[in-house]
């Protein structure tokens, strides 16, 4: 998929729809979308911020909103797109969506505020400069 088609998203992760993701109506249950977004967030950080020590640092959801645009059915080919829109002192704003890779139709949009959490000291933590720089460069933030 070309960059222009992806509306500025660089991180695009194909998602496999599992048998248990689909409800008796033949479409993906709305709660499963958040699992798709979590999978994409994990891969996004593994790609962009390679030195994350997950034994000491957690990235937790402070706020999340989803707009369900169109159903995802069992046979659809989908991908999750992820990008950072804003970086604060201890938090950052992610924008994600799920698209049909065949038609490029947006199936769902998600906006979340994520907070960095120090697992050793049990408190929020400042955003590391190396991560800030890596994300800004990757997503083209000023």
């Amino acid at each position: 998929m070309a960059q222009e088609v992806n509306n500025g998203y660089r991180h695009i992760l194909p998602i496999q729809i599992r048998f248990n993701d689909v409800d008796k109506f033949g479409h993906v249950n709305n709660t499963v979308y958040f699992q798709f977004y979590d999978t994409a967030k994990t891969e996004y950080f593994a790609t962009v911020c390679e030195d994350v020590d997950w034994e000491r640092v957690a990235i937790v959801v402070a706020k999340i909103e989803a707009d369900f645009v169109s159903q995802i059915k069992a046979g659809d080919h989908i991908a999750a797109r992820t990008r950072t829109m804003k970086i604060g002192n201890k938090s950052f704003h992610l924008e994600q969506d799920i698209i049909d890779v065949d038609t490029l139709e947006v199936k769902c949009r998600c906006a979340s505020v994520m907070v960095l959490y120090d697992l050793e000291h049990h408190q929020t933590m400042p955003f590391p400069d190396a991560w800030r720089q890596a994300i800004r460069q990757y997503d083209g933030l000023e």
Side-chain angles (χ1 to χ4, degrees):
M1 288 181 272
Q3 180 69 17
E4 311 82 55
V5 178
N6 285 309
N7 297 324
Y9 286 94
R10 287 192 58 205
H11 192 270
I12 302 156
L13 181 69
I15 300 288
Q16 179 180 2
I17 299 171
R18 303 166 302 176
F19 177 80
N20 62 329
D21 293 337
V22 180
D23 62 21
K24 69 179 184 174
F25 302 110
H27 65 264
V28 173
N29 185 281
N30 63 342
T31 62
V32 175
Y33 288 62
F34 295 101
Q35 294 173 22
F36 295 160
Y37 289 129
D38 283 345
T39 300
K41 280 183 258 196
T42 301
E43 182 63 29
Y44 173 84
F45 281 101
T47 300
V48 181
C49 300
E50 298 174 3
D51 62 341
V52 178
D53 181 355
W54 296 112
E55 299 295 319
R56 297 180 59 202
V57 176
I59 300 173
V60 297
V61 176
K63 179 181 180 180
I64 192 164
E65 296 178 347
D67 293 321
F68 298 95
V69 179
S70 180
Q71 294 182 53
I72 298 174
K73 296 182 180 167
D76 290 347
H77 300 103
I78 60 171
R81 304 187 295 192
T82 304
R83 64 181 169 195
T84 299
M85 299 302 292
K86 178 182 173 185
I87 303 172
N89 293 326
K90 296 181 179 183
S91 66
F92 58 101
H93 295 236
L94 278 183
E95 183 174 272
Q96 296 179 281
D97 61 26
I98 296 172
I99 61 166
D100 181 309
V101 297
D102 297 326
T103 65
L104 301 179
E105 175 188 7
V106 174
K107 298 290 192 170
C108 185
R109 291 186 178 91
C110 180
S112 56
V113 177
M114 310 296 292
V115 175
L116 300 183
Y117 190 78
D118 183 323
L119 293 170
E120 185 178 358
H121 298 101
H122 304 284
Q123 63 187 18
T124 59
M125 60 180 275
F127 211 94
D129 288 335
W131 295 8
R132 183 183 308 274
Q133 186 176 17
I135 291 170
R136 281 184 173 158
Q137 182 177 4
Y138 187 84
D139 283 327
L141 298 175
E142 303 263 337

